[in-house]
Amino acid sequence: MRGAGRRALVFVGLVFSSLQVVFSANTGFFLSINDVTSRSIYLKWPKVSGASSYRVTATAVNAVGHTLLAHFSDVILKGTLTSLIPNTVYVIQGEAIDKNGIILAETQIMQSTAPDVPVIDQAYSKLSNSITVEWRAVPGATSYLLSAQDGDSCIETVVTKSPGTVMGLKPATWYRITIRSINSGGRSQPSPSRKAKTVLAAPILAVSSPSCDSIAVSWKAVYMAAGFSVSLMRSDGLGRMLKQNTTNTSFIFTNLDPGTLYTIKAYAWNANGLPGDDFTYNQRTSPKAPADVQVAFNSGALRAIVSWMPTEGALTYSVTASSGLLKLKCSTSSASCVVPSLQCGSEYSVSVTAHNDAGSSKPTDAVSLKTIPCAPGNISIEENERGSLLVSWCSVNFGDYYVVFVKSDDGLEVYCNTSLTQCHFQSDCGFTYFITVFAYNKAGQSPLGNVFNYTTAPCCPSDFRAVPVSSDTVEVSWAPVRGAEMYETAAAGGGGAVLCNDTATACTLSALRCNTRYNITVYSYSEARGSNTSCAAKYVSTAPCSPEIKNISKEAPSVVSVHWQSNNEEATYIVTARGEAGLRHCVSSGNSCTLINLPCGSAFSISVTARSPAGQSLPSYSVPLETAPCCPNDLTLTQVTQSVTNISWSVGMGAQTYITTLESSKGRAKCHTLQNYCLLGCITCGTSYTVSLKAISETGLTSSCMYQGYSSSACCPSGVKLYRLGNNGIRVYWRASAGTISYSTDLRGSKGNFTCTPSSGLSRCDITEIPCGDVYTVVVSPVTDKKPKLTLCPKRIYSVTCSGSSVGMVIYRGKSNAERV
């Protein structure tokens, strides 16, 4: 039974956690929870129409015989159930009752009360921003709400068990502490309060090491503090602790070990001697100055390597090299450092300082350092006479002797060693020499100074070639010569001079006069020495001048003559016609030439070129030439109606528009079109026409084209009628057109088709056997020997009735639908 009770209790708890409000069917009456405490449940409900009172019954699920009954009027729709058991699940039933005691609606919910009120055992403060509370556990409580109240401010925190701590409080302040127990049903009333005061705040230290054997400590005043305690001890635990009690806000510890890490702790106490929070700070004393400083000089890199013995507690070191107002520094965490960028010809004082996070040591005693001499300056190079160079310079500080290096551009190097300030060297023409001067002393060689170069006069180019390439251009080339940086090519003649400067061993002389003799010379040039003017010249003639076309005359549709002005008796002239149809040429030694077989419908660009032993001229300005458009190869005429003919043709090359004409003694038909077809109206039947076409280009050039004549079809007869002939015969009658024409008659009906062709000259045709009782379409068409039967003549409809088994009445029904259209 106990196991069954536990299972029922678990089931009730599950139902309670998932079911808060239960509605009664169709009435909208329900109970809802406003608040829950350890011994009370606050309810409210909606008004039920017709109800005069409400009855609420609470029955404990896990406590036998504990039931509470309460009645409420219909004025206030809420109520409170009191005197309940803490941490107990209740089934709460609500009923709406009318004035006759009849239950109008009812509903039911389940709700647990909060746990019992806890009791505080003690409350105390160990830190200035918190108070710790201890209490006995309350059955059924899943958590607890701690509250610390100071005047109007209140800080709360939720914990799961004892002890619990309220954080975020003010130092040295009294707080009223309460606690509530919490479960899924709600929370209890607050416990009886306890008062507790937070301890003093810790002093905030400002720490420094003014010297290598002392540490200074200071802090701001702490609220409610009566005094302070400050202690100091080596962080590695060696030595003894130093402690000082004071009412001041600063203190200095002396006689400490240099470069050593110390731990400083401080706290304040109140008037009752109760200590507050403590504050801990680690501080290192500043280091001693390094010992045994050594300096080594690197002459090639102009830098000094400084080393020393490490000192206790130093984290970094700085080296200072001073020379007058100039100071160079380097920093390192090791026991050596490189001081770069020393100046040549200088004397430096070098010292070392140790550093850590507490400060710096005193600098070491200075060590003297002399550097290498500077590179000599004011170097001058003179070529006093051909084949000899004189190099001179100024003396420098700390320079004991000098070495001069002279290297030519072919790789050969010579030098001289002297204590003087000048040296002599041999030289050759067309060479460039690179000259460097070094100074020396006991510290080593001076830095590399300026590298000077001296170039002797260049040689003269020989065996150059001058080749004319056009009427105004000559290409000149030659072999390179030693010492030449640039070449100048001069062309004199024709009343003027042309110059060309280039670093290459070739030059193109342009803007020359055509058909002219020039004197051409190539000079070598260097910027240092100028031009060599002793070079030989050559004579060269330029190509003929470009001809000028005077006019172009058309001799025939495919033949043109080109005329130009001749300006060179030795020249041969080539005329070129260039176009999409290809190239056409003719050659002449005079001033005209004829181009033949030019295709129709083509555009050409005509130019003339002169050729002589000196070369070929540039072509003349081009003159456009357009030939007349081509006549279409194929032309077709098709008669559409008796008075309309369709004419079409193939495309004529070069033609943009066309004019087609049909002409006879009876009239003319004509059309002008962009297309390659045309409809010509007003055509007379049975008439012969001449056919012509004009093809017209975009610029208006015209080609007249003639084609084979055209004869329009014979005329259709008029007055076609049907008559009865005998018992089963039909006669077709018509009025013939002018001339002797044969006709063919066609009768088409549903019972058969009939055709008859009378003799030439007759205007009637008899069909002796024809079925009656049918509708016939009748067509009479002219027939010729050369053309097929004409199908354009009108169709007429006749109804042939029956009289017994013989032909009866013949009735005209009009033209066919196609003809009416």
Side-chain angles (χ1 to χ4, degrees):
M1 290 299 292
R2 286 183 180 178
R6 289 194 188 98
R7 287 193 295 272
L9 207 53
V10 171
F11 170 75
V12 169
L14 291 174
V15 170
F16 169 71
S17 64
S18 61
L19 183 62
Q20 291 285 328
V21 178
V22 179
F23 290 88
S24 59
N26 301 324
T27 65
F29 178 57
F30 61 89
L31 296 175
S32 60
I33 305 299
N34 259 7
D35 193 13
V36 177
T37 65
S38 302
R39 299 181 181 275
S40 301
I41 296 177
Y42 299 87
L43 304 168
K44 66 177 181 178
W45 53 86
K47 183 174 181 62
V48 175
S49 178
S52 62
S53 64
Y54 299 90
R55 182 168 58 205
V56 178
T57 304
T59 304
V61 174
N62 52 358
V64 178
H66 187 78
T67 301
L68 180 67
L69 178 63
H71 289 271
F72 303 95
S73 68
D74 62 341
V75 177
I76 301 175
L77 301 178
K78 60 183 178 179
T80 303
L81 300 175
T82 59
S83 302
L84 304 178
I85 303 173
N87 193 37
T88 300
V89 177
Y90 282 88
V91 176
I92 303 172
Q93 180 168 336
E95 297 170 324
I97 304 172
D98 66 4
K99 61 183 178 179
N100 298 318
I102 299 175
I103 299 174
L104 300 178
E106 61 181 2
T107 184
Q108 189 179 81
I109 63 172
M110 301 185 74
Q111 176 63 44
S112 173
T113 55
D116 210 347
V117 178
V119 177
I120 297 175
D121 291 336
Q122 61 175 332
Y124 51 87
S125 173
K126 290 185 177 180
L127 298 175
S128 61
N129 67 340
S130 67
I131 292 176
T132 301
V133 185
E134 295 180 3
W135 66 93
R136 290 184 299 277
V138 176
T142 58
S143 60
Y144 300 88
L145 177 66
L146 299 181
S147 300
Q149 188 168 2
D150 169 33
D152 296 333
S153 66
C154 182
I155 297 178
E156 296 181 337
T157 185
V158 177
V159 298
T160 59
K161 62 181 179 177
S162 177
T165 301
V166 183
M167 305 293 293
L169 307 182
K170 296 181 290 186
T173 303
W174 284 101
Y175 285 91
R176 187 165 62 86
I177 309 299
T178 58
I179 184 171
R180 298 170 184 255
S181 59
I182 303 173
N183 67 3
S184 59
R187 61 185 184 180
S188 71
Q189 294 89 345
S191 67
S193 65
R194 283 284 188 97
K195 277 194 173 185
K197 187 178 183 180
T198 52
V199 298
L200 297 180
I204 305 301
L205 301 182
V207 186
S208 64
S209 177
S211 64
C212 65
D213 61 350
S214 66
I215 291 178
V217 184
S218 63
W219 58 90
K220 292 182 179 180
V222 176
Y223 174 67
M224 298 296 290
F228 303 92
S229 177
V230 184
S231 62
L232 176 143
M233 187 175 183
R234 285 178 61 121
S235 297
D236 55 10
L238 300 177
R240 63 185 181 86
M241 178 187 291
L242 302 178
K243 187 174 182 180
Q244 180 68 34
N245 293 331
T246 179
T247 57
N248 296 326
T249 57
S250 64
F251 185 77
I252 298 178
F253 293 94
T254 58
N255 298 323
L256 305 179
D257 298 328
T260 302
L261 184 63
Y262 286 89
T263 299
I264 302 100
K265 183 178 290 187
Y267 62 87
W269 69 81
N270 60 16
N272 296 325
L274 184 65
D277 286 352
D278 57 36
F279 184 91
T280 302
Y281 192 91
N282 290 326
Q283 176 65 45
R284 189 182 299 275
T285 52
S286 57
K288 277 186 177 181
D292 193 21
V293 178
Q294 303 290 330
V295 179
F297 180 69
N298 186 325
S299 61
L302 271 177
R303 62 184 184 180
I305 302 174
V306 185
S307 59
W308 55 87
M309 292 296 294
T311 185
E312 180 69 25
L315 299 179
T316 60
Y317 301 89
S318 62
V319 179
T320 302
S322 302
S323 176
L325 298 177
L326 179 63
K327 289 187 178 182
L328 300 175
K329 292 186 177 183
C330 72
S331 297
T332 182
S333 58
S334 63
S336 65
C337 190
V338 176
V339 181
S341 305
L342 298 177
Q343 292 185 348
C344 59
S346 300
E347 185 173 0
Y348 289 88
S349 295
V350 181
S351 61
V352 183
T353 304
H355 309 271
N356 64 13
D357 51 5
S360 304
S361 70
K362 293 180 179 180
T364 62
D365 294 334
V367 177
S368 178
L369 171 66
K370 287 184 179 180
T371 63
I372 58 175
C374 294
N378 295 326
I379 297 174
S380 65
I381 305 169
E382 299 178 7
E383 191 176 7
N384 294 331
E385 57 185 24
R386 185 178 296 274
S388 177
L389 295 179
L390 173 63
V391 182
S392 59
W393 59 91
C394 292
S395 60
V396 296
N397 292 332
F398 304 115
D400 295 338
Y401 63 96
Y402 305 91
V403 178
V404 182
F405 294 91
V406 178
K407 186 175 182 178
S408 61
D409 55 8
D410 63 353
L412 181 64
E413 184 177 43
V414 295
Y415 70 95
C416 83
N417 189 334
T418 180
S419 59
L420 303 177
T421 57
Q422 65 178 14
C423 274
H424 289 272
F425 295 91
Q426 290 184 348
S427 63
D428 294 320
C429 65
F431 275 85
T432 297
Y433 294 93
F434 301 93
I435 301 165
T436 308
V437 182
F438 292 95
Y440 291 83
N441 64 9
K442 292 181 179 180
Q445 175 185 292
S446 68
L448 176 65
N450 294 329
V451 179
F452 293 87
N453 64 75
Y454 184 87
T455 303
T456 56
C459 298
C460 180
S462 61
D463 192 25
F464 67 89
R465 298 174 64 248
V467 179
V469 294
S470 69
S471 58
D472 63 350
T473 304
V474 173
E475 288 186 353
V476 184
S477 61
W478 58 90
V481 295
R482 178 172 293 279
E485 298 175 358
M486 187 168 26
Y487 300 92
E488 181 179 84
T489 306
V498 178
L499 298 178
C500 171
N501 293 322
D502 204 337
T503 57
T505 57
C507 183
T508 300
L509 295 170
S510 59
L512 303 179
R513 294 178 60 180
C514 56
N515 199 30
T516 303
R517 181 181 173 89
Y518 281 92
N519 184 9
I520 299 177
T521 309
V522 180
Y523 303 97
S524 59
Y525 175 85
S526 71
E527 188 174 351
R529 303 265 61 87
S531 297
N532 189 336
T533 59
S534 62
C535 301
K538 288 187 178 182
Y539 291 93
V540 177
S541 295
T542 56
C545 299
S546 297
E548 180 183 355
I549 297 177
K550 292 300 182 181
N551 63 73
I552 298 176
S553 58
K554 292 186 179 180
E555 307 299 333
S558 62
V559 178
V560 296
S561 292
V562 183
H563 304 267
W564 61 87
Q565 182 177 349
S566 175
N567 53 25
N568 192 320
E569 294 180 356
E570 299 179 357
T572 300
Y573 297 89
I574 300 97
V575 178
T576 302
R578 182 175 286 102
E580 293 182 357
L583 296 177
R584 302 290 189 275
H585 298 283
C586 67
V587 180
S588 173
S589 58
N591 57 4
S592 66
C593 191
T594 300
L595 292 169
I596 62 175
N597 297 327
L598 296 179
C600 60
S602 301
F604 292 94
S605 177
I606 309 297
S607 62
V608 182
T609 304
R611 182 180 297 166
S612 74
Q616 180 171 304
S617 73
L618 295 172
S620 67
Y621 293 120
S622 297
V623 176
L625 172 67
E626 180 183 359
T627 57
C630 298
C631 288
N633 293 327
D634 302 317
L635 185 139
T636 304
L637 290 96
T638 304
Q639 190 149 356
V640 180
T641 67
Q642 286 195 81
S643 62
V644 177
T645 297
N646 181 54
I647 181 169
S648 61
W649 55 90
S650 60
V651 176
M653 181 178 293
Q656 185 186 52
T657 61
Y658 303 89
I659 298 176
T660 56
T661 305
L662 294 183
E663 192 166 4
S664 71
S665 59
K666 296 182 180 180
R668 183 174 66 169
K670 179 180 179 182
C671 78
H672 192 180
T673 179
L674 287 165
Q675 311 299 328
N676 61 339
Y677 59 87
C678 187
L679 284 175
L680 294 175
C682 302
I683 302 298
T684 304
C685 57
T687 304
S688 296
Y689 288 90
T690 59
V691 183
S692 64
L693 181 144
K694 286 186 178 180
I696 305 171
S697 71
E698 185 177 359
T699 60
L701 294 179
T702 302
S703 291
S704 296
C705 312
M706 298 301 295
Y707 297 90
Q708 184 177 357
Y710 167 73
S711 295
S712 61
S713 62
C715 297
C716 293
S718 60
V720 176
K721 295 181 181 179
L722 249 64
Y723 297 99
R724 176 184 175 188
L725 182 66
N727 291 333
N728 292 311
I730 291 294
R731 171 169 289 180
V732 182
Y733 174 80
W734 60 87
R735 288 194 298 273
S737 60
T740 302
I741 301 176
S742 296
Y743 295 92
S744 173
T745 301
D746 291 315
L747 275 77
R748 297 183 181 275
S750 61
K751 296 182 179 181
N753 299 328
F754 304 92
T755 301
C756 71
T757 304
S759 300
S760 177
L762 294 180
S763 59
R764 67 180 183 274
C765 185
D766 295 337
I767 300 173
T768 57
E769 295 294 334
I770 185 171
C772 63
D774 199 358
V775 177
Y776 292 93
T777 300
V778 181
V779 180
V780 181
S781 304
V783 179
T784 61
D785 296 335
K786 297 180 180 180
K787 293 183 180 182
K789 182 170 60 177
L790 190 64
T791 60
L792 301 176
C793 293
K795 301 178 178 63
R796 296 177 178 273
I797 300 174
Y798 285 88
S799 177
V800 179
T801 65
C802 291
S803 178
S805 60
S806 302
V807 173
M809 297 179 63
V810 179
I811 303 170
Y812 174 63
R813 304 292 294 274
K815 296 182 179 180
S816 69
N817 291 336
E819 182 62 26
R820 290 172 186 172
V821 174

